Amino acid sequence: MDRSARARGCAAALAGAVVLAGCSGKSENAGRAGNAGPASVRTSAPVSGAGSDLQQQYVKVVDAVLPSVVKIQTDQGEGSGVVFDAQGDIVTNAHVVAGAKKIQVTSSGGGSPANASMVGAFAADDLAVIKVGGVSLKPASWGESGKAQVGQIVLAMGNPLGLSGSVTNGIVSALHRTVSTKGEGAFQGSTIADAIQTSADINPGNSGGALVTLDGQVIGIPTAAASDPQIGAAAPGIGFATPSDTVKRIVPQLIESGKVSNSGRAALGVVVRTIVDPQTGRRSAVAVVEVEKGGGAAKAGIRPGDLILSVNGVATPDQTALTTVLADLRPGQTVKVELQRPDGSKKQVQVTLGQLPGG
């Protein structure tokens, strides 16, 4: 989220770039252009051919899907949501509604805001579900993100900068990205595995909206946009979406119980904190604060006070690095964990990963 144009946001890192969650604290208020004098109007014959066919497909997809994309306003800021089912359940990003005491939903077609209640959130994947009653909303059609292809045309639908029902276009730029966002306020941060990278513009307020194929299928939830750390400004054409396959696994659990019992995410079974060198300010490792009884770490002999230097051969200088490594692993896998004991000695242990709890 661009800090100059939002009420809340999440900083993140991906391959050295700063990734910003697309929430907005701005209201819908675009400036008017100055009055112009009389303009000449030229007419021409309708354009036909491949370009015209593509344009008509864009129009068709927007007409079909945009009614399923809503504007979310909270006492913390603004964002977007996608209608999940006919019972009024709406998917959004966890950071959009984290800590909110009041949530209201407005359809893309406008009208009066409807009050919404929190159903549940799973911060690890930056997903949340809210619910509205007494309002007729059209559920979206959810596709399979696992079938997405690089180069595939997509549209991003949401409410950037508070501008309801906005649509941008682009392509799937890359697949299987791992994107970590830092916590802010009531949001603890997330690490999204298998994120879809897209060139479709994702701006503050797009968070929680829809990334849609030309078949009208939602394959992702726009979550973050990148910025260039060297200039501190947005990096055009680099955005990330939580994949629909993750949405379809997590959201039904939130709807059923408000919690996630089957996250599909790997966990060591420890509570950790980042160690910072007081002399250099550099992060060097993560220290184990607590060990879950009966978990993988406990069975491998990891103890409070140990430093975790690497997992599966990847250095873990901080909690974000550790979470990123684990996001690409699965429960049940056995991995090597390099430790440093309080006495300075180093040791490698084999840990069978458990499942990250949620809710």
Side-chain angles (χ1 to χ4, degrees):
M1 178 180 312
D2 189 336
R3 292 181 182 271
S4 66
R6 53 83 175 131
R8 56 191 296 113
C10 312
L14 176 78
V18 176
V19 180
L20 304 177
C23 278
S24 173
K26 285 192 172 183
S27 61
E28 181 172 343
N29 184 12
R32 292 176 179 269
N35 291 332
S40 60
V41 178
R42 293 186 298 175
T43 62
S44 61
V47 177
S48 61
S52 177
D53 291 343
L54 181 59
Q55 174 178 291
Q56 290 304 312
Q57 188 61 28
Y58 275 22
V59 172
K60 182 179 178 181
V61 171
V62 171
D63 285 346
V65 181
L66 198 56
S68 301
V69 180
V70 301
K71 180 178 180 179
I72 297 175
Q73 296 172 287
T74 77
D75 52 326
Q76 305 291 317
E78 296 182 349
S80 306
V82 185
V83 182
F84 189 77
D85 57 31
Q87 285 69 52
D89 294 302
I90 297 170
V91 182
T92 186
N93 284 136
H95 73 257
V96 171
V97 293
K101 297 178 181 177
K102 183 178 181 180
I103 306 172
Q104 291 187 312
V105 170
T106 307
S107 70
S108 60
S112 300
N115 291 326
S117 59
M118 189 74 176
V119 174
F122 185 57
D125 282 323
D126 201 354
L127 289 173
V129 177
I130 61 175
K131 191 179 187 72
V132 294
V135 179
S136 179
L137 296 172
K138 178 185 177 183
S141 178
W142 296 86
E144 298 180 48
S145 56
K147 294 183 178 179
Q149 297 179 311
V150 174
Q152 183 175 3
I153 296 174
V154 288
L155 304 178
M157 302 183 188
N159 307 286
L161 305 179
L163 298 170
S164 296
S166 294
V167 182
T168 57
N169 73 302
I171 62 170
V172 172
S173 305
L175 297 167
H176 311 304
R177 296 297 197 197
T178 299
V179 181
S180 293
T181 64
K182 293 181 180 179
E184 182 173 304
F187 180 64
Q188 67 186 49
S190 66
T191 298
I192 302 165
D194 280 336
I196 299 172
Q197 182 181 329
T198 179
S199 64
D201 288 334
I202 296 177
N203 293 298
N206 269 122
S207 277
L211 189 69
V212 187
T213 68
L214 291 188
D215 295 327
Q217 302 285 303
V218 179
I219 60 167
I221 301 293
T223 301
S227 69
D228 187 334
Q230 294 184 347
I231 62 176
I238 304 179
F240 304 95
T242 302
S244 59
D245 288 352
T246 299
V247 172
K248 291 189 291 184
R249 182 179 71 250
I250 298 300
V251 167
Q253 297 179 64
L254 291 175
I255 292 172
E256 182 177 359
S257 65
K259 298 181 180 180
V260 175
S261 57
N262 180 22
S263 67
R265 300 282 296 262
L268 281 172
V270 293
V271 176
V272 300
R273 62 182 176 88
T274 300
I275 297 297
V276 179
D277 187 323
Q279 300 297 323
T280 65
R282 295 183 61 182
R283 300 172 180 180
S284 58
V286 290
V288 177
V289 178
E290 296 178 23
V291 179
E292 177 189 336
K293 187 176 180 180
K299 292 177 180 178
I302 297 177
R303 303 187 295 263
D306 289 343
L307 301 183
I308 299 177
L309 305 180
S310 70
V311 174
N312 207 32
V314 180
T316 54
D318 55 35
Q319 289 169 264
T320 298
L322 176 59
T323 304
T324 300
V325 173
L326 292 172
D328 292 326
L329 301 171
R330 292 291 176 263
Q333 282 186 251
T334 299
V335 297
K336 288 183 180 179
V337 177
E338 184 183 6
L339 304 173
Q340 181 175 310
R341 299 294 191 186
D343 63 4
S345 64
K346 294 183 179 180
K347 182 179 182 179
Q348 278 196 347
V349 296
Q350 298 280 341
V351 178
T352 299
L353 299 173
Q355 184 156 223
L356 182 69

